[in-house]
Coordinates of all heavy atoms in Angstrom, one line a residue:
M22 N -0.1 10.3 -9.6 CA -1.3 9.5 -9.7 C -1.0 8.2 -10.4 O -0.1 8.1 -11.2 CB -2.3 10.3 -10.6 CG -2.9 11.5 -10.0 SD -3.9 12.4 -11.1 CE -5.5 11.7 -10.8
S23 N -1.7 7.2 -10.0 CA -1.5 5.9 -10.5 C -2.9 5.2 -10.7 O -3.7 5.2 -9.7 CB -0.7 5.0 -9.6 OG -0.7 3.7 -10.0
Y24 N -3.2 4.7 -11.9 CA -4.4 4.0 -12.1 C -4.1 2.6 -12.7 O -3.5 2.5 -13.8 CB -5.3 4.7 -13.0 CG -6.7 4.1 -13.2 CD1 -7.7 4.1 -12.2 CD2 -7.1 3.5 -14.4 CE1 -8.9 3.5 -12.3 CE2 -8.3 2.9 -14.6 CZ -9.2 2.9 -13.5 OH -10.4 2.4 -13.7
G25 N -4.4 1.6 -11.9 CA -4.0 0.2 -12.4 C -4.8 -0.8 -11.7 O -5.6 -0.6 -10.8
P26 N -4.5 -2.1 -12.0 CA -5.3 -3.2 -11.4 C -4.9 -3.3 -9.9 O -3.9 -3.0 -9.5 CB -4.8 -4.4 -12.2 CG -3.5 -4.0 -12.8 CD -3.6 -2.5 -13.0
S27 N -5.9 -3.8 -9.2 CA -5.8 -4.0 -7.7 C -4.9 -5.1 -7.5 O -5.0 -6.3 -8.0 CB -7.1 -4.3 -7.1 OG -7.0 -4.7 -5.8
I28 N -3.8 -5.0 -6.7 CA -2.8 -6.0 -6.4 C -3.5 -7.1 -5.5 O -3.3 -8.3 -5.8 CB -1.6 -5.4 -5.7 CG1 -0.9 -4.4 -6.6 CG2 -0.6 -6.6 -5.3 CD1 -0.4 -5.0 -7.9
S29 N -4.3 -6.7 -4.6 CA -5.0 -7.7 -3.7 C -5.9 -8.6 -4.5 O -6.0 -9.8 -4.3 CB -5.7 -7.1 -2.6 OG -6.8 -6.2 -3.1
T30 N -6.6 -8.1 -5.5 CA -7.5 -8.9 -6.4 C -6.6 -9.8 -7.2 O -7.0 -11.0 -7.4 CB -8.3 -8.0 -7.2 OG1 -9.1 -7.1 -6.4 CG2 -9.3 -8.8 -8.1
A31 N -5.5 -9.3 -7.7 CA -4.6 -10.2 -8.5 C -4.1 -11.4 -7.6 O -4.1 -12.5 -8.1 CB -3.4 -9.3 -9.0
Y32 N -3.7 -11.1 -6.4 CA -3.3 -12.2 -5.5 C -4.4 -13.2 -5.3 O -4.2 -14.4 -5.3 CB -2.8 -11.6 -4.2 CG -1.5 -11.0 -4.2 CD1 -1.2 -9.9 -3.5 CD2 -0.4 -11.5 -5.1 CE1 0.1 -9.3 -3.5 CE2 0.8 -10.9 -5.1 CZ 1.1 -9.8 -4.4 OH 2.3 -9.2 -4.4
H33 N -5.6 -12.7 -5.2 CA -6.8 -13.6 -5.0 C -6.9 -14.6 -6.3 O -7.1 -15.8 -6.2 CB -8.0 -12.8 -4.8 CG -9.3 -13.7 -4.8 ND1 -9.6 -14.6 -3.7 CD2 -10.3 -13.9 -5.7 CE1 -10.7 -15.2 -4.0 NE2 -11.2 -14.8 -5.2
Q34 N -6.8 -14.0 -7.5 CA -6.9 -14.7 -8.7 C -5.8 -15.8 -8.8 O -6.0 -16.9 -9.3 CB -6.9 -13.8 -9.9 CG -8.1 -13.0 -10.0 CD -8.1 -12.0 -11.2 OE1 -7.0 -11.6 -11.7 NE2 -9.3 -11.5 -11.6
I35 N -4.6 -15.4 -8.3 CA -3.4 -16.3 -8.3 C -3.7 -17.5 -7.4 O -3.4 -18.6 -7.7 CB -2.1 -15.6 -7.9 CG1 -1.7 -14.6 -9.0 CG2 -1.0 -16.6 -7.6 CD1 -0.6 -13.7 -8.5
G36 N -4.4 -17.2 -6.3 CA -4.7 -18.3 -5.4 C -5.8 -19.3 -6.0 O -5.7 -20.5 -5.8
V37 N -6.7 -18.7 -6.7 CA -7.7 -19.5 -7.4 C -7.0 -20.4 -8.4 O -7.3 -21.6 -8.5 CB -8.8 -18.6 -8.1 CG1 -9.7 -19.5 -8.9 CG2 -9.6 -17.9 -7.0
Y38 N -6.1 -19.8 -9.2 CA -5.4 -20.6 -10.2 C -4.6 -21.7 -9.5 O -4.6 -22.8 -10.0 CB -4.5 -19.7 -11.0 CG -5.0 -19.1 -12.2 CD1 -6.2 -18.5 -12.3 CD2 -4.3 -19.2 -13.5 CE1 -6.8 -18.0 -13.5 CE2 -4.7 -18.7 -14.6 CZ -6.0 -18.1 -14.7 OH -6.5 -17.6 -15.8
A39 N -3.9 -21.4 -8.5 CA -3.1 -22.4 -7.8 C -3.9 -23.5 -7.3 O -3.6 -24.7 -7.4 CB -2.3 -21.7 -6.6
G40 N -5.1 -23.2 -6.7 CA -6.0 -24.2 -6.3 C -6.5 -25.1 -7.4 O -6.6 -26.4 -7.2
K41 N -6.7 -24.5 -8.6 CA -7.2 -25.4 -9.7 C -6.0 -26.3 -10.2 O -6.3 -27.5 -10.5 CB -7.6 -24.4 -10.9 CG -8.9 -23.8 -10.6 CD -9.4 -22.9 -11.8 CE -10.7 -22.3 -11.5 NZ -11.2 -21.4 -12.6
I42 N -4.8 -25.7 -10.2 CA -3.6 -26.6 -10.6 C -3.4 -27.7 -9.6 O -3.1 -28.8 -10.0 CB -2.4 -25.7 -10.8 CG1 -2.6 -24.7 -12.0 CG2 -1.2 -26.5 -10.9 CD1 -1.6 -23.6 -12.1
L43 N -3.5 -27.4 -8.3 CA -3.3 -28.4 -7.3 C -4.4 -29.5 -7.3 O -4.2 -30.6 -6.9 CB -3.2 -27.8 -5.9 CG -2.0 -27.0 -5.6 CD1 -2.1 -26.2 -4.3 CD2 -0.7 -27.8 -5.7
A44 N -5.6 -29.1 -7.9 CA -6.7 -30.1 -8.0 C -6.6 -30.9 -9.3 O -7.4 -31.8 -9.5 CB -8.0 -29.3 -8.0
G45 N -5.5 -30.6 -10.1 CA -5.3 -31.4 -11.3 C -5.5 -30.8 -12.6 O -5.3 -31.5 -13.7
A46 N -5.9 -29.5 -12.7 CA -6.0 -28.8 -13.9 C -4.7 -28.6 -14.6 O -3.7 -28.4 -13.9 CB -6.8 -27.5 -13.8
K47 N -4.7 -28.6 -15.9 CA -3.5 -28.3 -16.7 C -3.3 -26.8 -16.8 O -4.3 -26.2 -17.2 CB -3.5 -29.0 -18.0 CG -3.4 -30.5 -17.9 CD -3.4 -31.1 -19.3 CE -3.4 -32.6 -19.2 NZ -3.4 -33.2 -20.6
P48 N -2.2 -26.2 -16.4 CA -2.1 -24.7 -16.5 C -2.3 -24.2 -18.0 O -2.9 -23.1 -18.1 CB -0.6 -24.5 -16.2 CG -0.3 -25.7 -15.3 CD -1.0 -26.8 -15.8
A49 N -2.0 -25.0 -19.0 CA -2.2 -24.6 -20.3 C -3.7 -24.5 -20.7 O -4.1 -23.8 -21.6 CB -1.5 -25.5 -21.3
D50 N -4.5 -25.2 -20.0 CA -6.0 -25.2 -20.2 C -6.8 -24.1 -19.5 O -7.9 -23.9 -19.7 CB -6.6 -26.6 -19.9 CG -6.1 -27.7 -20.7 OD1 -5.6 -27.4 -21.9 OD2 -6.1 -28.9 -20.3
L51 N -6.1 -23.4 -18.6 CA -6.7 -22.4 -17.8 C -6.8 -21.1 -18.6 O -5.8 -20.7 -19.3 CB -6.0 -22.1 -16.5 CG -6.0 -23.3 -15.5 CD1 -5.1 -22.9 -14.3 CD2 -7.4 -23.6 -15.0
P52 N -7.9 -20.4 -18.6 CA -8.1 -19.2 -19.3 C -7.3 -18.0 -18.7 O -7.1 -18.0 -17.5 CB -9.6 -18.9 -19.3 CG -10.0 -19.5 -18.0 CD -9.1 -20.7 -17.9
V53 N -7.0 -17.0 -19.5 CA -6.4 -15.8 -19.0 C -7.5 -14.9 -18.5 O -8.4 -14.7 -19.2 CB -5.5 -15.1 -20.0 CG1 -5.0 -13.7 -19.5 CG2 -4.4 -15.9 -20.5
I54 N -7.4 -14.5 -17.2 CA -8.5 -13.7 -16.6 C -8.0 -12.2 -16.6 O -7.0 -12.0 -15.8 CB -8.9 -14.2 -15.2 CG1 -9.4 -15.6 -15.3 CG2 -9.9 -13.3 -14.6 CD1 -9.7 -16.2 -14.0
P55 N -8.6 -11.3 -17.2 CA -8.2 -9.9 -17.2 C -8.6 -9.3 -15.8 O -9.4 -9.8 -15.1 CB -9.0 -9.3 -18.3 CG -10.2 -10.1 -18.5 CD -9.8 -11.5 -18.1
P56 N -7.9 -8.3 -15.4 CA -8.2 -7.6 -14.1 C -9.6 -7.2 -14.1 O -10.1 -6.7 -15.1 CB -7.2 -6.5 -14.0 CG -6.2 -6.7 -15.1 CD -6.8 -7.6 -16.1
T57 N -10.3 -7.3 -13.0 CA -11.7 -6.8 -12.9 C -11.8 -5.6 -12.0 O -12.8 -4.9 -12.0 CB -12.5 -8.0 -12.3 OG1 -12.0 -8.4 -11.0 CG2 -12.6 -9.2 -13.2
K58 N -10.8 -5.3 -11.1 CA -10.9 -4.2 -10.3 C -9.7 -3.3 -10.4 O -8.6 -3.8 -10.5 CB -11.0 -4.6 -8.8 CG -11.1 -3.4 -7.9 CD -11.2 -3.8 -6.4 CE -11.4 -2.6 -5.6 NZ -11.0 -2.8 -4.2
F59 N -9.9 -2.0 -10.6 CA -8.8 -1.0 -10.8 C -8.8 0.0 -9.6 O -9.9 0.2 -9.0 CB -8.9 -0.4 -12.1 CG -8.7 -1.2 -13.3 CD1 -9.7 -2.0 -13.8 CD2 -7.4 -1.3 -13.9 CE1 -9.5 -2.9 -14.9 CE2 -7.2 -2.2 -14.9 CZ -8.3 -2.9 -15.4
E60 N -7.6 0.5 -9.3 CA -7.5 1.4 -8.2 C -6.9 2.7 -8.7 O -6.0 2.7 -9.5 CB -6.7 0.8 -7.1 CG -7.3 -0.3 -6.4 CD -6.4 -0.9 -5.3 OE1 -5.2 -0.8 -5.3 OE2 -7.0 -1.6 -4.4
L61 N -7.3 3.9 -8.1 CA -6.8 5.1 -8.4 C -6.0 5.6 -7.1 O -6.7 5.7 -6.0 CB -7.8 6.2 -8.7 CG -7.4 7.6 -8.9 CD1 -6.4 7.8 -10.0 CD2 -8.6 8.5 -9.1
V62 N -4.8 5.8 -7.2 CA -4.0 6.3 -6.0 C -3.4 7.6 -6.4 O -2.8 7.8 -7.4 CB -2.9 5.3 -5.7 CG1 -2.0 5.7 -4.5 CG2 -3.4 3.9 -5.4
I63 N -3.5 8.6 -5.4 CA -3.0 9.9 -5.6 C -2.0 10.3 -4.6 O -2.3 10.1 -3.4 CB -4.1 10.9 -5.7 CG1 -5.1 10.6 -6.8 CG2 -3.5 12.4 -5.8 CD1 -6.3 11.5 -6.8
N64 N -0.8 10.7 -4.9 CA 0.2 11.1 -3.9 C 0.2 12.7 -3.9 O 0.7 13.3 -4.8 CB 1.6 10.6 -4.4 CG 2.7 10.8 -3.4 OD1 2.6 11.9 -2.6 ND2 3.6 9.9 -3.3
L65 N -0.4 13.2 -2.8 CA -0.5 14.7 -2.7 C 0.8 15.4 -2.5 O 1.0 16.5 -3.0 CB -1.5 15.0 -1.6 CG -2.9 14.7 -1.9 CD1 -3.8 15.1 -0.7 CD2 -3.4 15.5 -3.1
K66 N 1.8 14.7 -1.8 CA 3.1 15.3 -1.6 C 3.8 15.5 -2.9 O 4.4 16.6 -3.1 CB 3.9 14.4 -0.6 CG 5.2 15.0 -0.3 CD 6.0 14.1 0.7 CE 7.3 14.6 1.1 NZ 8.1 13.7 2.0
T67 N 3.7 14.6 -3.8 CA 4.4 14.7 -5.1 C 3.7 15.8 -5.9 O 4.4 16.6 -6.6 CB 4.4 13.3 -5.8 OG1 5.1 12.4 -5.0 CG2 5.1 13.5 -7.1
A68 N 2.4 15.7 -5.9 CA 1.6 16.7 -6.6 C 1.9 18.1 -6.2 O 2.1 19.1 -7.0 CB 0.1 16.5 -6.5
K69 N 2.1 18.3 -4.9 CA 2.5 19.6 -4.3 C 3.9 20.1 -4.8 O 4.2 21.2 -5.2 CB 2.4 19.6 -2.8 CG 2.7 21.0 -2.2 CD 2.5 20.9 -0.7 CE 2.9 22.3 0.0 NZ 2.8 22.2 1.4
A70 N 4.8 19.1 -4.8 CA 6.2 19.3 -5.2 C 6.2 19.7 -6.7 O 7.1 20.5 -7.1 CB 7.1 18.1 -5.0
L71 N 5.3 19.2 -7.5 CA 5.2 19.6 -8.9 C 4.3 20.7 -9.2 O 4.1 21.1 -10.3 CB 4.7 18.4 -9.7 CG 5.7 17.2 -9.7 CD1 5.0 15.9 -10.3 CD2 6.9 17.5 -10.4
A72 N 3.8 21.4 -8.1 CA 2.9 22.5 -8.2 C 1.6 22.1 -9.0 O 1.1 23.0 -9.8 CB 3.6 23.7 -8.8
L73 N 1.1 21.0 -8.7 CA -0.1 20.5 -9.3 C -1.2 20.6 -8.3 O -1.1 20.3 -7.1 CB 0.0 19.1 -9.8 CG 1.0 18.8 -10.9 CD1 1.1 17.4 -11.2 CD2 0.7 19.6 -12.2
E74 N -2.4 21.0 -8.7 CA -3.6 21.0 -7.8 C -4.5 20.0 -8.3 O -5.0 20.0 -9.5 CB -4.2 22.4 -7.9 CG -5.4 22.6 -6.9 CD -5.9 24.0 -6.8 OE1 -5.2 24.9 -7.1 OE2 -7.2 24.1 -6.6
I75 N -4.9 19.1 -7.4 CA -5.8 18.0 -7.7 C -7.2 18.4 -7.4 O -7.4 18.8 -6.2 CB -5.4 16.7 -7.0 CG1 -4.0 16.3 -7.1 CG2 -6.3 15.6 -7.4 CD1 -3.5 16.0 -8.5
P76 N -8.1 18.4 -8.3 CA -9.5 18.8 -8.0 C -10.1 18.0 -6.9 O -9.9 16.8 -6.9 CB -10.2 18.7 -9.4 CG -9.2 18.6 -10.4 CD -8.0 18.0 -9.7
P77 N -11.0 18.6 -6.1 CA -11.6 17.8 -5.0 C -12.5 16.6 -5.6 O -12.5 15.6 -4.9 CB -12.5 18.9 -4.4 CG -12.0 20.2 -4.7 CD -11.3 20.0 -6.1
G78 N -13.0 16.8 -6.7 CA -13.8 15.7 -7.3 C -13.0 14.4 -7.6 O -13.4 13.3 -7.4
V79 N -11.8 14.6 -8.1 CA -10.8 13.6 -8.3 C -10.4 12.9 -7.0 O -10.3 11.7 -6.9 CB -9.6 14.0 -9.2 CG1 -8.6 12.9 -9.3 CG2 -10.1 14.5 -10.5
L80 N -10.1 13.8 -6.0 CA -9.7 13.2 -4.7 C -10.8 12.4 -4.1 O -10.6 11.4 -3.4 CB -9.4 14.4 -3.7 CG -8.1 15.1 -4.1 CD1 -7.9 16.3 -3.1 CD2 -6.9 14.2 -3.9
A81 N -12.1 12.8 -4.3 CA -13.3 12.1 -3.8 C -13.4 10.7 -4.3 O -13.9 9.8 -3.6 CB -14.5 12.9 -4.0
I82 N -13.0 10.5 -5.6 CA -13.2 9.2 -6.2 C -12.0 8.3 -6.1 O -12.0 7.1 -6.5 CB -13.6 9.3 -7.7 CG1 -12.5 10.0 -8.5 CG2 -15.0 9.9 -7.8 CD1 -12.8 9.9 -10.0
A83 N -10.9 8.8 -5.5 CA -9.6 8.1 -5.4 C -9.8 7.0 -4.4 O -10.4 7.1 -3.3 CB -8.5 9.0 -5.0
D84 N -9.2 5.8 -4.7 CA -9.2 4.7 -3.7 C -8.3 4.9 -2.6 O -8.5 4.4 -1.4 CB -8.9 3.4 -4.5 CG -9.9 3.0 -5.5 OD1 -11.1 2.8 -5.1 OD2 -9.6 2.9 -6.7
E85 N -7.2 5.6 -2.9 CA -6.2 5.9 -1.8 C -5.6 7.2 -2.1 O -5.2 7.5 -3.2 CB -5.1 4.8 -1.8 CG -4.1 5.0 -0.7 CD -3.0 3.8 -0.7 OE1 -3.2 2.9 -1.4 OE2 -2.1 4.0 0.0
V86 N -5.4 8.0 -1.0 CA -4.8 9.3 -1.1 C -3.6 9.4 -0.1 O -3.7 9.1 1.0 CB -5.7 10.5 -0.8 CG1 -5.0 11.8 -0.9 CG2 -6.9 10.5 -1.8
I87 N -2.3 9.5 -0.7 CA -1.1 9.5 0.1 C -0.8 11.0 0.4 O -0.7 11.8 -0.5 CB 0.0 8.8 -0.6 CG1 -0.4 7.4 -0.9 CG2 1.3 8.9 0.2 CD1 0.6 6.7 -1.9
E88 N -0.7 11.3 1.7 CA -0.4 12.7 2.0 C 1.0 13.0 2.3 O 1.8 12.5 2.7 CB -1.4 13.1 3.2 CG -2.8 13.1 2.7 CD -3.7 13.7 3.7 OE1 -3.3 14.7 4.3 OE2 -4.8 13.3 3.8

């Protein structure tokens, strides 16, 4: 299982920052933006190898399930 910030959202934020810098903003003046979207990814093959059973409710809320 992995729970962390969305990589695609982070790339979007990087693009916004790059646009502001190219428009003339100073990088030191730009605020730090914390992640706003998080993803839950579950690897069922690894869970099975470790003899772990993932409850159906957790599987239902996962953003991605790797089989």
Side-chain angles (χ1 to χ4, degrees):
M22 293 175 88
S23 170
Y24 185 71
S27 168
I28 299 299
S29 61
T30 303
Y32 285 143
H33 174 74
Q34 290 176 342
I35 290 169
V37 170
Y38 266 50
K41 288 181 181 182
I42 292 169
L43 292 174
K47 294 181 181 179
D50 295 337
L51 295 176
V53 174
I54 300 175
T57 56
K58 182 178 181 203
F59 291 84
E60 294 179 333
L61 174 64
V62 178
I63 300 173
N64 188 327
L65 289 178
K66 184 178 179 182
T67 302
K69 183 178 178 182
L71 295 171
L73 298 173
E74 186 176 329
I75 309 296
V79 175
L80 290 174
I82 63 170
D84 294 300
E85 182 179 352
V86 177
I87 301 169
E88 295 190 33

